[in-house]
């Protein structure tokens, strides 16, 4: 045990989930490792809850495409909610004891499947006050991705028609809400069990991807945000975007020739990469605290049961988010 200059008590070692090889969920191994040290402008955080994202599973297998996979051994996990233990300097706005949430720097640095994580301050914001740590940990990566797609790339606005594939997923349920918040006409694809929920979140048309082809159901849109990692869905999406409209391909696995085929059809194309951004997280926290936006936590697992969370995630039918509980709040 040691006491920091700010008076917080922390241990020299911590519980973490480590992978020493790439593979299936069984490679996620509960281990005791040294507690990370804080460097430069980083904030050292005691993690109370960690979100689970498809990227974690992709990094676990070593097939994280354009996002890159970490060197081994590695601690995975991007999302966290917790309490500041050490801040970069005394006058820093994030102070020991503050409740915060944010995004770790995987694959460059160890992640949040651990009792402590050290993260650049620009990736950390005060946690939404009205959310528990479990709920807050479900937000950062998915909501930042959705915000970047809907606000920065699509520039959602009244009168605009946006098709969001996989509206029921982690990114999708935020994207539907952000697009509706900014006045766009939101269309989304999902299975029937999520249809009424997505309507409540702001979707004006919900297409059942299990019984129909979206291109038969949807009139031309200005923007299509594709969150489904399926080449056929990506290809078919070109046909529902109006000439001059935009197709955004979000999965980390590129589809060969998709950009060229979109261009040939007169459709603008872009892929995408999420940027961790504390200012944006602060805006999202306000929307969550005001109730304008909600987060849906599908299930919660103890940290040591992370392999079960990955198995469920890989079935690809999570509603909203899965979260790991790391310590009591
Ligand atoms: N580039 C980046 O920076 C970035 C950032 C974040 C995420 N991503 C990628 O974006 C994708 C989505 O991420 P996520 O966190 O939202 O995933 P997720 O939460 O695991 O998505 C699960 C959802 O996908 C839906 N779904 C599955 N197949 C579908 C289909 N054919 N049509 C419509 N919906 C379908 C499921 O709904 P039903 O059960 O109703 O079918 C489920 O609710 C992933 O590929 C992820 O790697 C990329």
């Amino acid at each position: 045990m040691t006491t920091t200059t700010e008076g917080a008590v922390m241990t020299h070692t911590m519980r973490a989930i480590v992978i020493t090889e790439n593979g299936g969920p069984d490679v996620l191994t509960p281990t005791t490792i040294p507690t990370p040290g804080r460097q430069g402008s980083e904030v050292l955080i005691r993690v109370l809850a960690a979100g689970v994202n498809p990227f974690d599973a992709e990094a676990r297998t070593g097939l994280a495409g354009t996002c890159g996979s970490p060197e081994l051994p590695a601690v995975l996990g991007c999302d966290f909610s917790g309490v500041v233990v050490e801040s970069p300097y005394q006058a820093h706005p994030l102070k020991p004891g503050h409740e915060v949430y944010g995004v770790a720097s995987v694959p460059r640095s160890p992640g949040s499947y651990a009792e402590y994580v050290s993260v650049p301050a620009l990736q950390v914001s005060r946690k939404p006050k009205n959310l528990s740590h479990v709920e807050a940990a479900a937000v950062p990566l998915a909501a930042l991705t959705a915000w970047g797609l809907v606000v920065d790339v699509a520039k959602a606005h009244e009168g605009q028609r946006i098709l969001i594939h996989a509206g029921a997923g982690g990114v999708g349920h935020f994207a539907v809400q952000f697009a509706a918040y900014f006045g766009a006409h939101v269309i989304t694809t999902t299975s029937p069990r999520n249809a009424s929920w997505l309507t409540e979140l702001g979707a004006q048309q919900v297409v059942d991807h299990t019984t129909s082809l979206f291109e038969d159901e949807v009139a031309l849109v200005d923007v299509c945000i594709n969150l489904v990692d399926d080449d056929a869905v990506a290809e078919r999406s070109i046909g529902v975007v109006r000439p001059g409209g935009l197709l955004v391909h979000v999965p980390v696995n590129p589809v060969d020739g998709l950009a060229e085929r979109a261009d040939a059809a007169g459709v603008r194309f872009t892929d995408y990469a999420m940027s961790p951004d504390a200012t944006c997280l602060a805006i999202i926290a306000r929307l969550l605290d005001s109730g304008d936006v909600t987060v849906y936590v599908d299930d919660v697992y103890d940290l040591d049961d992370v392999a079960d969370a990955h198995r469920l995630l890989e079935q690809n039918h999570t509603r909203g988010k899965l979260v790991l509980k790391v310590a009591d709040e």
Side-chain angles (χ1 to χ4, degrees), residues 52-56 58 64 66-67 141-146 149 164-174 188-195 197-198 207-210 214 226-230 233 236 249-253 271-275 298 312-322:
V52 180
N53 289 284
F55 169 67
D56 306 350
E58 290 153 359
T66 51
C67 283
L141 188 146
L144 284 171
T145 302
L149 291 166
I164 299 167
H165 286 310
V171 177
H173 84 300
F174 287 118
T188 192
T189 55
T190 186
S191 57
R193 72 188 183 99
N194 294 314
W197 172 61
L198 286 170
V207 179
D208 175 2
H209 74 83
T210 67
F214 58 83
N226 177 33
L227 295 165
V228 177
D229 192 7
D230 177 333
V233 171
R236 287 159 45 211
H249 183 74
V250 187
V252 296
N253 298 310
D271 55 5
Y272 179 75
M274 185 278 306
S275 298
D298 203 355
L312 186 64
L313 186 81
E314 288 178 318
Q315 290 176 16
N316 202 20
H317 291 298
T318 307
R319 176 191 278 195
K321 298 292 302 178
L322 302 177

Side-chain angles (χ1 to χ4, degrees), residues 6 16 19 23-24 38 44 85 90 94 100 112 122 138 163 183 212 228 243 251 265 272 275 282 290 292 302 304 313:
E6 294 84 5
I19 60 166
R38 195 194 61 73
L44 181 64
V85 175
Q90 283 172 330
L94 294 176
V100 293
S112 58
L122 289 173
L163 170 61
S212 55
V228 177
Y272 179 75
S275 298
S290 67
D292 287 310
D302 286 338
D304 286 356
L313 186 81

Side-chain angles (χ1 to χ4, degrees), residues 1-2 9-16 31-37 46 114-116:
M1 297 271 250
T2 188
V9 174
M10 59 180 290
T11 52
H12 294 294
T13 59
M14 66 174 185
R15 210 161 44 96
T31 313
T32 298
I33 60 172
T35 302
R46 187 164 77 88
E115 290 179 301
Y116 294 89

